Amino acid sequence: MHLTVNEKEENQTAPVAFILLDFNNDDLQMLFSIMFLTIYIVTMAGNILIIILVVTDQHLHTPMYFFLGNLSCLETCYSSTIMPRMLVSFLTGDRTISIKGCFTQLYFFGSLAAAECYLLAVMSYDRYLAICKPLHYTILMNDRICILLIVGPWIIACLVMSPIIFFMSQLNFCGPNKINHFFCDFTPMVRLSCNETDLIETTTFILSSIGTLAPFVITVSSYVYIIRNILRIPSTTGKQKAFSTCSSHLTVVACFYGSLMIVYVLPNMSSLSDLKKFFSLFYTLLTPLVNPLVYSLRNKEVKEAIKKPCKMLQRHYY
Ligand SMILES: *[C@@H]1O[C@H](CO)[C@@H](O)[C@H](O)[C@H]1NC(C)=O
């Protein structure tokens, strides 16, 4: 009898901080530190380069590149919600994160992820208009609509994420405080709570569907129309030209949504948690890395924009 009372008391001591069990591997700590630090530096450098090119190069002053530049802004923030905290864990071995810190990370990560989904959808809608409605493109994608399409994703993202965080802040945490993940994600956090979580899980499911499923449907339907339209072009070169303007974006979209689906659509089984952790790396860390890389390696106009300062330097020196 006494034992149970003691146990109960022990269970009710609320934790003051959470512990992030990232990859649970002390031997590989050094390797992970170097690998993730490299990814972070390349991600930041690549995205900042894209932002500089889009802002400074006159040839890139079109809606498509404005969206790309704004996506790069978003991705530098997105990457910074997870990476620095993770690197500190690897470098110092200190894996604790305050509960407030955890909520803050979840809020910014969640809203930036939703904003990213919507911005990717906006970019595919832009490609849809350019390829399927070329004659009306300049009217349909005017400055005002362009700004609306850039600001919209941020507003929707905040509207989706705020109620989730509000409901989560009502939860009590009492006892277990180990998060089996490398950042404070929704499911691992809710699992530590000692409240009934059905209602909050349903609410979150609905809200995150608005945040991710809606833009996914927009993206997929844009691409269905784009591909149907490209297949109708008679010449092979015409087909290639039309496809080349959207293939970079399609690569980024596939990487982002593919991994997002694996993580959130697979059932919540503990046997799958390592697999999910691995695929979480794709949408949290690799998408922001891949985006500037595919655009600078595959996109002709961005390549030209990168070459220009190099040529200017050459002329200056020789
Ligand atoms: C973001 O979009 C706005 C509005 O179209 C544009 O003026 C701005 O240059 C873009 N920002 C970047 C960094 O591309």
Side-chain angles (χ1 to χ4, degrees), residues 51 54-55 65-66 69-70 73 146-147 150:
I51 296 170
V54 171
V55 171
Y65 292 107
F66 283 150
N70 281 277
C73 284
C146 201
I147 289 171
I150 283 168

Short mmCIF file of all heavy atoms in Angstrom, two decimals, residues 51 54-55 65-66 69-70 73 146-147 150, ligand 1:
data_model
loop_
_atom_site.label_atom_id
_atom_site.label_comp_id
_atom_site.label_asym_id
_atom_site.label_seq_id
_atom_site.Cartn_x
_atom_site.Cartn_y
_atom_site.Cartn_z
N ILE A 51 19.57 33.79 -51.92
CA ILE A 51 18.92 35.06 -51.56
C ILE A 51 19.68 36.23 -52.19
O ILE A 51 19.08 37.10 -52.82
CB ILE A 51 18.87 35.24 -50.02
CG1 ILE A 51 17.99 34.16 -49.39
CG2 ILE A 51 18.33 36.62 -49.66
CD1 ILE A 51 18.07 34.10 -47.88
N VAL A 54 19.09 36.32 -55.99
CA VAL A 54 17.74 36.76 -56.37
C VAL A 54 17.58 38.26 -56.15
O VAL A 54 16.97 38.96 -56.95
CB VAL A 54 16.66 35.97 -55.58
CG1 VAL A 54 15.28 36.56 -55.81
CG2 VAL A 54 16.67 34.50 -55.99
N VAL A 55 18.17 38.76 -55.06
CA VAL A 55 18.00 40.19 -54.77
C VAL A 55 18.84 41.04 -55.73
O VAL A 55 18.39 42.07 -56.22
CB VAL A 55 18.36 40.49 -53.29
CG1 VAL A 55 18.40 41.99 -53.04
CG2 VAL A 55 17.34 39.84 -52.38
N TYR A 65 11.56 33.36 -59.25
CA TYR A 65 12.77 33.50 -58.43
C TYR A 65 12.50 34.25 -57.14
O TYR A 65 13.18 34.03 -56.15
CB TYR A 65 13.89 34.14 -59.26
CG TYR A 65 14.35 33.20 -60.33
CD1 TYR A 65 14.04 33.42 -61.67
CD2 TYR A 65 15.03 32.03 -60.00
CE1 TYR A 65 14.43 32.52 -62.65
CE2 TYR A 65 15.41 31.14 -60.96
CZ TYR A 65 15.12 31.38 -62.29
OH TYR A 65 15.49 30.47 -63.24
N PHE A 66 11.48 35.14 -57.14
CA PHE A 66 11.10 35.75 -55.86
C PHE A 66 10.63 34.67 -54.90
O PHE A 66 10.98 34.67 -53.72
CB PHE A 66 9.99 36.78 -56.06
CG PHE A 66 10.48 38.09 -56.62
CD1 PHE A 66 9.68 38.87 -57.42
CD2 PHE A 66 11.76 38.54 -56.32
CE1 PHE A 66 10.13 40.07 -57.93
CE2 PHE A 66 12.22 39.75 -56.83
CZ PHE A 66 11.40 40.52 -57.64
N GLY A 69 13.68 32.82 -53.71
CA GLY A 69 14.43 33.60 -52.72
C GLY A 69 13.74 33.58 -51.37
O GLY A 69 14.38 33.41 -50.33
N ASN A 70 12.43 33.73 -51.41
CA ASN A 70 11.68 33.71 -50.15
C ASN A 70 11.70 32.32 -49.52
O ASN A 70 11.73 32.20 -48.29
CB ASN A 70 10.24 34.18 -50.38
CG ASN A 70 10.17 35.70 -50.47
OD1 ASN A 70 10.11 36.37 -49.45
ND2 ASN A 70 10.21 36.25 -51.68
N CYS A 73 14.92 32.09 -47.68
CA CYS A 73 14.83 32.79 -46.38
C CYS A 73 14.19 31.87 -45.36
O CYS A 73 14.69 31.70 -44.24
CB CYS A 73 13.90 34.01 -46.49
SG CYS A 73 14.61 35.40 -47.30
N CYS A 146 1.48 38.22 -56.18
CA CYS A 146 2.77 37.65 -55.82
C CYS A 146 3.06 37.87 -54.33
O CYS A 146 3.44 36.93 -53.62
CB CYS A 146 3.82 38.35 -56.68
SG CYS A 146 5.33 37.47 -56.84
N ILE A 147 2.86 39.09 -53.87
CA ILE A 147 3.11 39.39 -52.45
C ILE A 147 2.14 38.63 -51.56
O ILE A 147 2.52 38.06 -50.53
CB ILE A 147 3.03 40.92 -52.20
CG1 ILE A 147 4.27 41.57 -52.85
CG2 ILE A 147 2.99 41.24 -50.72
CD1 ILE A 147 4.24 43.07 -52.88
N ILE A 150 3.19 35.21 -51.10
CA ILE A 150 4.37 35.04 -50.27
C ILE A 150 4.03 35.24 -48.79
O ILE A 150 4.53 34.52 -47.92
CB ILE A 150 5.48 36.02 -50.72
CG1 ILE A 150 6.13 35.45 -52.00
CG2 ILE A 150 6.53 36.21 -49.64
CD1 ILE A 150 7.03 36.41 -52.70
C1 LIG B 1 10.39 37.86 -51.61
O1 LIG B 1 9.29 38.31 -52.36
C2 LIG B 1 9.17 39.71 -52.50
C3 LIG B 1 7.86 40.06 -53.17
O2 LIG B 1 7.72 39.50 -54.42
C4 LIG B 1 10.38 40.23 -53.27
O3 LIG B 1 10.29 41.63 -53.45
C5 LIG B 1 11.63 39.87 -52.49
O4 LIG B 1 12.77 40.27 -53.21
C6 LIG B 1 11.68 38.38 -52.23
N1 LIG B 1 12.79 38.10 -51.34
C7 LIG B 1 13.82 37.35 -51.69
C8 LIG B 1 14.93 37.21 -50.71
O5 LIG B 1 13.86 36.77 -52.74
#
